[in-house]
Amino acid sequence: MVIPKPGKPDYSKVRAYRVISLLDFVSKLLERTAAHLIADHLERKRGLHDGRFGCWKRWSCVDAVVVLMNRTQQVWKRKMVAGGLFMDVKSDFNNVSRVHLGKRMETLGIEPDLTRWTASFMSDRQVKLVLDDITGGASPVDTGIPQGSPAAPILFVTYPSAIFDKAEEVVPGVYGLSVVDDIGWWAAGTDDEVVAAMLSAAAAVALEWAAGNGVTFDHSKTEAALFQRKKRTTTATVTVGTNSIPFNREATRWLGV
């Protein structure tokens, strides 16, 4: 079902709408069970990055902001500055690749039965779009996770989870801190130029990983913030692909906080 997003200025654009999958009730019971088993495995084995919040019990977006604030206050004590780069995954649930997700689940050691169930869940599907009480014809779909499925959140956070370990390995001192499709990078250094360089390097790793895994970022939503005790302007910028992202001069809103 296609529903309009509230408060959008132009409803002639596709991005002004959200697609919600209406699924069979009985299938949702099975999906909820599978989601619980996958999440339980990942939690017991610590399969996901410890900076990944959302889709976990007792790990909310408020906790992510608290971690960011705590890390920043700790480096302030050492007379350092910190910064954050916030990237948004474009069309997050819709672009999940069955093949890449299956490989990631195997790498994380998730039980083969659950991996095979996920592959089956994402195969041989058809979708009909309903907009303004008009129902379109059925079309085959071989990519994406139904956003109305109970299994969708945990499957999605599993999909890009390798990006954090990769960036932290390549760029020492960078820390991934994210909630669902909001990918954040935090770094600290002696000055704003050092922080900007570290965040730029993390962005390069993220874009390289994304290109090889069917993931894209919405550059219009990319923001950078500099965390310092004394408010001052800076000319340092963060490079994200072909774009130069300046540090916000005003307060930055992240995860609704």
Side-chain angles (χ1 to χ4, degrees):
M1 177 172 289
V2 182
I3 58 176
K5 297 178 181 178
K8 293 296 180 179
D10 187 357
Y11 286 98
S12 65
K13 296 183 178 180
V14 174
R15 294 181 62 179
Y17 295 83
R18 177 177 287 110
V19 179
I20 301 295
S21 302
L22 301 182
L23 306 174
D24 182 81
F25 176 76
V26 176
S27 70
K28 284 193 173 184
L29 295 177
L30 176 60
E31 293 159 26
R32 185 174 296 278
T33 301
H36 172 77
L37 293 173
I38 294 171
D40 180 69
H41 170 90
L42 293 173
E43 188 167 9
R44 285 188 293 104
K45 301 295 184 179
R46 298 185 65 85
L48 298 184
H49 183 262
D50 61 5
R52 166 61 73 176
F53 293 80
C55 305
W56 293 94
K57 294 180 180 178
R58 303 177 298 277
W59 290 67
S60 69
C61 62
V62 174
D63 295 316
V65 175
V66 170
V67 171
L68 183 147
M69 293 174 61
N70 180 262
R71 280 179 166 266
T72 299
Q73 290 169 351
Q74 292 301 315
V75 299
W76 280 352
K77 294 178 181 179
R78 305 202 303 269
K79 309 299 182 181
M80 301 173 71
V81 297
L85 177 66
F86 308 113
M87 308 170 70
D88 187 84
V89 177
K90 190 175 183 179
S91 301
D92 43 15
F93 287 80
N94 298 334
N95 287 331
V96 173
S97 163
R98 180 180 72 251
V99 174
H100 288 304
L101 176 59
K103 290 180 179 178
R104 182 58 182 162
M105 294 177 73
E106 291 177 357
T107 300
L108 292 172
I110 294 175
E111 294 181 13
D113 285 344
L114 290 172
T115 303
R116 286 193 292 268
W117 176 86
T118 302
S120 176
F121 173 61
M122 297 179 65
S123 302
D124 301 322
R125 298 175 297 163
Q126 290 189 329
V127 63
K128 293 182 179 180
L129 293 180
V130 180
L131 176 62
D132 294 336
D133 296 326
I134 300 175
T135 303
S139 301
V141 175
D142 59 3
T143 301
I145 303 171
Q147 199 162 344
S149 168
I154 190 62
L155 290 178
F156 177 77
V157 299
T158 302
Y159 184 56
S161 57
I163 196 172
F164 303 105
D165 292 333
K166 182 67 175 177
E168 292 177 5
E169 176 185 352
V170 175
V171 191
V174 161
Y175 179 68
L177 191 64
S178 306
V179 176
V180 193
D181 61 337
D182 291 299
I183 307 296
W185 305 107
W186 178 94
T190 53
D191 57 48
D192 46 5
E193 294 288 349
V194 172
V195 171
M198 294 173 68
L199 294 175
S200 297
V205 174
L207 292 177
E208 180 181 2
W209 180 92
N213 290 272
V215 175
T216 57
F217 292 100
D218 188 342
H219 293 297
S220 66
K221 296 182 179 180
T222 301
E223 291 186 279
L226 192 64
F227 309 124
Q228 50 192 349
R229 283 186 178 275
K230 296 181 179 180
K231 186 176 181 180
R232 60 184 178 83
T233 57
T234 177
T235 58
T237 60
V238 180
T239 302
V240 181
T242 59
N243 301 311
S244 293
I245 311 298
F247 288 109
N248 288 345
R249 294 190 176 187
E250 303 298 331
T252 300
R253 187 177 181 87
W254 183 51
L255 305 177
V257 179

